[in-house]
Amino acid sequence: MTALPTAATSASASATVTPAPERPAHRDANVLRWLAAYTMSMVGDSVYYMALAWAAARSGSPTQTGLVLAVGAVPRALLMLGGGVLADRWGPRRVVIGSDAARCVVILGIAAVLVLTAPGLWLLIAVALVFGVVDALFLPAVGALPPRITGPGQLARVQGLRGLAARAANVTGAPLGGLLVALGGSAAAFAAAGALFAVSLVLLIAVRMTPLPRDKAASVEDGAEGTASGSAWHELTDGLRYIRRHRVLGPLMLVIALSELGFVGPLNVGLVLLAQDRGWGAGGMGWIVAVFGVGAGAASLLLAVRGRLPRAGLVLCLSVVAGAFAIGAMAFVPTVGLAAVAGLFVGLLAGLGGGLCGALTQTVTEPGYLGRVTSVSTLFTLGIAPLSYPVTGAAVGLWGTGPVFVVSAVVCAAGGALGLAFTQLRRAELPGG
C-alpha cells in the first residue's frame, strides 16, 4: 500500500518547487499592449509639436513662435517632482490614463477651434502650458509602470523595447506631422495627434497591472525610509531623502545628472554649430544624427533581445566614460564620415547606458518610491539638461566648438568615473529573467 505523505515530506516537496519562469517581455501580450500605447503616445507628441510650431509660426513672429514652443518646458520642469509624488500616492496607472485622457481632450479641442477660426497667440500659449503640466504628470508615472506589468528579470528587456519605440516615434512622428500640416494644416495635425492619444488611452486601459507591495519598514542596508502618509511636501522630501541615503540610487542619480549635462548640449546645439563651422551643411549633420539613431537603436535592440547584461552597474559606468571620449572626438575629426562614426559610438553607448540606468532604477527602488525616483531622473534628463542649450551656444560663440566639446566630454566622463567610485553601484546587478 502506498504511504500517505507526511507533513514533513509535503513541506519538503513544496520547498523544492521552483517558481514559473517569467514570460519574455517581447512575447508578453500585456507588455506589447503597453509598448503600443507608449509608441502611439510618443508619435502623438511629435505630431503635436509639429502642429504647434506651424500654428505659432502662422500666428506670430519668429520670436513669438519660439516663446510658444519654449513655454511648455517651464511647468514640466517645475512640476516634475510633484508628478512623481502623485504617481506614488494615486498609483501610476491612474495618473498615466488621466494625463493621456487630458491630452486627448485638449488637443482635439484646439483642432476644433482651428477649424472654426484662427487662434490667437494666447490660446497657443495656454495649450503649451497645459501640455507641459500634463507632461509633468505623465512622464514620472509612465516610468514607474514597467515593474507593474512584467517580472523583475524582464525590466532591462522592457527598457530596450521602450528605447526602440522611442526611436521609431522619432523617425515617423515628425515626418507624419509635416505631411499632415502640408495636407490639412495645423487643424489636421492636431486632430491626428488627439486621435493617437485616444488610441494610446484605449490600449493603456487594457493593460493589466500587478500591484506592488508598499514597503512600510526602513531598509537598514540601503538607508531607505518607509513612505509615510502625509502632505505632498512631506512625501516629496521623504523621496529625496530616500534617494540620498540609498547606496545605489544616490550615486546613480549623480551619474545621470552629469552625463546628461555633458551629453545634451553638444548633441543638440553643438552639433548644428559644428556642422556649420566645418562646412558639412545640413546634409552632413543629418548623416551624423541618423547614425547616432542607428547606434542607440542597436543598443536598445541588444537589451530587448538579451534581457540582461552581467555586471550592469560596471557596464553602465564604463559606457558613460567611453561615450564621453566619443563626444570629445567629434569636434576634432577632419571629415563628416569620421564624425558619423563617432556619432555611431555615441549613440550605441548612450543607448546602452540609458537603458541600464532605467532598468537599475526600477530594480533597486522600493515600490512605494518608484514615482518619485523616476521623477528625479526624468527631471535631470528632460527638465534641467535642456537648460544647457543656450549655455552651449554662447560658449561656442566665445571659444569655438573644440573647447566646448572637450569640456562637455569631461563633464560626461566625470559622471561615469564618479559611478565607478561607488562600490554598490559598480557591483549592481540586474535580476535574471
Side-chain angles (χ1 to χ4, degrees), residues 155-178:
L155 289 176
R157 186 168 275 134
V158 168
Q159 291 302 311
L161 293 172
R162 184 179 177 183
L164 288 173
R167 294 299 159 194
N170 290 339
V171 170
T172 60
L176 177 61

Side-chain angles (χ1 to χ4, degrees), residues 89-120:
R89 175 175 283 196
W90 295 347
R93 184 176 189 271
R94 291 180 183 178
V95 176
V96 167
I97 289 176
S99 58
D100 239 13
R103 292 200 289 186
C104 180
V105 171
V106 170
I107 301 308
L108 290 178
I110 188 63
V113 170
L114 284 171
V115 171
L116 298 175
T117 182

Side-chain angles (χ1 to χ4, degrees), residues 300-331:
S300 297
L301 183 61
L302 174 66
L303 289 174
V305 171
R306 289 199 49 132
R308 179 182 182 273
L309 292 180
R311 309 195 71 177
L314 178 62
V315 173
L316 160 63
C317 297
L318 291 178
S319 67
V320 171
V321 173
F325 281 102
I327 290 173
M330 291 181 68

Side-chain angles (χ1 to χ4, degrees), residues 58-432:
R58 295 289 299 271
S59 302
S61 66
T63 300
Q64 291 171 328
T65 300
L67 174 64
V68 171
L69 295 178
V71 73
V74 176
R76 184 174 62 190
L78 293 178
L79 301 177
M80 186 77 72
L81 297 180
V85 172
L86 292 181
D88 285 336
R89 175 175 283 196
W90 295 347
R93 184 176 189 271
R94 291 180 183 178
V95 176
V96 167
I97 289 176
S99 58
D100 239 13
R103 292 200 289 186
C104 180
V105 171
V106 170
I107 301 308
L108 290 178
I110 188 63
V113 170
L114 284 171
V115 171
L116 298 175
T117 182
L121 205 64
W122 63 268
L123 181 59
L124 297 177
I125 291 176
V127 170
L129 285 171
V130 171
F131 205 88
V133 171
V134 175
D135 256 2
L137 304 178
F138 176 83
L139 292 170
V142 78
L145 282 182
R148 292 168 167 86
I149 62 175
T150 190
Q154 299 300 313
L155 289 176
R157 186 168 275 134
V158 168
Q159 291 302 311
L161 293 172
R162 184 179 177 183
L164 288 173
R167 294 299 159 194
N170 290 339
V171 170
T172 60
L176 177 61
L179 178 63
L180 290 167
V181 167
L183 295 177
S186 296
F190 276 122
L196 287 165
F197 292 138
V199 173
S200 173
L201 178 62
V202 172
L203 291 168
L204 282 171
I205 292 173
V207 174
R208 299 186 308 275
M209 304 283 175
T210 301
L212 297 178
R214 195 176 179 86
D215 287 349
K216 301 292 184 182
S219 170
V220 176
E221 179 181 357
D222 289 334
E225 293 186 10
T227 303
S229 59
S231 67
W233 177 254
H234 173 82
E235 292 191 19
L236 175 58
T237 56
D238 183 44
L240 295 176
R241 188 162 51 245
Y242 168 74
I243 293 172
R244 178 172 60 84
R245 295 180 177 180
H246 199 288
R247 294 183 180 180
V248 175
L249 286 175
L252 183 58
M253 293 301 115
L254 292 176
V255 172
I256 292 173
L258 289 173
S259 61
E260 286 292 331
L261 285 174
F263 168 82
V264 168
L267 267 296
N268 287 277
V269 177
L271 185 58
V272 177
L273 301 176
L274 178 65
Q276 290 180 344
D277 184 50
R278 296 296 178 85
W280 295 339
M285 187 187 72
W287 276 108
I288 298 172
V289 173
V291 296
F292 168 84
V294 170
S300 297
L301 183 61
L302 174 66
L303 289 174
V305 171
R306 289 199 49 132
R308 179 182 182 273
L309 292 180
R311 309 195 71 177
L314 178 62
V315 173
L316 160 63
C317 297
L318 291 178
S319 67
V320 171
V321 173
F325 281 102
I327 290 173
M330 291 181 68
F332 296 98
V333 294
T335 66
V336 67
L338 291 175
V341 172
L344 177 67
F345 279 102
V346 172
L348 179 63
L349 295 165
L352 181 61
L356 290 175
C357 275
L360 280 173
T361 298
Q362 293 168 352
T363 298
V364 303
T365 303
E366 301 293 343
Y369 290 98
L370 266 171
R372 281 163 287 177
V373 172
T374 304
S375 72
V376 172
S377 63
T378 307
L379 178 64
F380 287 135
T381 56
L382 298 178
I384 295 177
L387 298 179
S388 65
Y389 292 171
V391 176
T392 300
V396 169
L398 289 173
W399 299 298
T401 53
V404 171
F405 270 71
V406 169
V407 170
S408 297
V410 169
V411 172
C412 189
L418 184 65
L420 290 172
F422 286 90
T423 304
Q424 295 295 325
L425 176 57
R426 190 175 66 248
R427 295 179 178 177
E429 294 280 5
L430 293 173

